Amino acid sequence: MTPASVKRLFSAGYRVFFLLAGLFAVFAMLVWESSLAIEAAGGTVSYGFATAPQMWHAHELIYGYGAAVIAGFLLTAAPGWTGLRAAPSGFFALASAIWVAGRLAVWWSASLPPLLVAGIDLVFLPIVGAHVLTLLLKRPKPAQMMILGVIALLWSGNAVMHGDWVGAGGDAWLGARVGVLALATLIVILGGRVTPAFTRNAMVRTGREHRLPRNPVRLGIAAIAPAIAASLTLLVGLPMEIPGALAAIAGLVALARLARWRGGWTFGQPILWSLHLSYGLNALGLVLTGLAWSGIGSELAGLHLLAIGGIGSMTLAVMSRAALGHSGRPLVAPAPVAVAYGLVPLAALIRFAASASPTLHDAGVLLAGGLWIVAFTLYVVALWPVFWGERGIAKPAQA
């Protein structure tokens, strides 16, 4: 690492936050896998955080990893949406330091006052959101402002978790559910834009003029509205059947959208099929989670399919594509990243199956976690030069 490479790291949101997200995805899963393995061997686990290991696992992958991805995406995309300058490097350095402070506060929460932990952790998304809002207000568009509303729901889920931990009457598991659903809603919104758009652009570049992806606005609204409503009704504590029905509807409509996006054409192009596959798994996860909240099937299985297959796969696909495009490199996934695109959905399916088989549960969970670790290690190693190195000569792509 040289002073020049460090300066480059803090020059763009995709550089610092997509690197932090990848590193933390590996670290957080290693902690969880170690905890499971030690307990399976009959040992006991003691870490510095105040919560049970499974609660730390849920919180940190939703509000640690998830928040880093959101920050990297929005701080990269918003200047392109508005035509305004990106934030200065000092802002990226400060924002990333606050994110790291949140992770350290939660990690050492057994030794810190719960209110202090909450304050440090909860400040990150408002800082990112406020900066993005200042850009969007100069050229406001309802569709983009809606994204900030969903991020407010995500932040509220985190506040509910901390409310439980400080003894203020919150429900930590409810907060985790809200967080997963809010992230899945962002994928319904943003994945529903970029997946057909990138596929269309790739088709047009080959000279294709017919049978292009179709993305009807009304169908998009029919998927997005119930997804947002599901997060909101879950947050305010309505009976689980209500957000369950809304989530299932959102997932079914999202699958109907996906069927119009010509996913079959993308075979052989990992940087495209990964978007289609992850959007489909996100939609399927919404359906199965919604059914579980209505008493049909396993909630744990549905939530993990949603979190790993939908959120994990889509964020990996979007981070890698945005990093390549905005760094001026060709939009072709490096071989290790292409492998990672396949490993994360495989991990989701194995974790889903493990929930249905008590005898294979522990082995399935450990295997799924191992595949996740390998996938994100491949991502970090393959794109390490992208995060730290100089830009290529191509023009940046839109995130």
Side-chain angles (χ1 to χ4, degrees), residues 68-272:
V69 176
I70 288 170
F73 180 86
L74 287 181
L75 293 173
T76 302
W81 292 341
T82 59
L84 301 172
R85 291 176 60 88
S89 59
F91 175 84
F92 293 123
L94 175 62
S96 58
I98 292 172
W99 180 87
V100 171
R103 310 288 56 78
L104 292 175
V106 174
W107 180 261
W108 296 112
S109 55
S111 305
L112 298 171
L115 279 174
L116 177 62
V117 175
I120 295 173
D121 187 41
L122 289 171
V123 74
F124 174 69
L125 279 179
I127 288 175
V128 173
H131 176 77
V132 173
L133 181 62
T134 60
L135 297 178
L136 297 183
L137 284 177
K138 295 179 180 179
R139 296 183 182 179
K141 293 182 180 179
Q144 293 163 357
M145 301 297 285
M146 173 178 60
I147 294 170
L148 292 181
V150 178
I151 292 173
L153 284 173
L154 178 68
W155 180 89
S156 298
N158 196 10
V160 169
M161 293 194 80
H162 281 288
D164 187 349
W165 296 336
V166 302
D171 181 339
W173 283 118
L174 173 63
R177 291 184 181 100
V178 170
V180 171
L181 205 57
L183 289 173
T185 299
L186 286 172
I187 289 173
V188 173
I189 297 170
L190 295 170
R193 294 183 192 176
V194 301
T195 303
F198 291 160
T199 304
R200 171 184 282 270
N201 292 344
M203 286 180 164
V204 170
R205 282 196 295 271
T206 67
R208 181 162 172 162
E209 299 179 357
H210 304 289
R211 294 179 58 79
L212 298 172
R214 292 179 293 127
N215 196 23
V217 173
R218 291 183 180 179
L219 203 58
I221 294 172
I224 293 168
I228 294 175
S231 301
L232 184 58
T233 54
L234 183 64
L235 178 65
V236 300
L238 293 185
M240 295 296 288
E241 292 80 3
I242 296 175
L246 291 166
I249 292 170
L252 289 171
V253 178
L255 288 172
R257 298 180 77 194
L258 180 64
R260 291 162 168 77
W261 293 345
R262 310 299 180 192
W265 184 87
T266 68
F267 292 158
Q269 301 181 70
I271 207 159
L272 289 176

Side-chain angles (χ1 to χ4, degrees), residues 353-376:
S355 299
S357 175
T359 57
L360 299 176
H361 178 270
D362 291 347
V365 171
L366 289 171
L367 177 57
L371 292 175
W372 172 283
I373 291 168
V374 172
F376 279 91

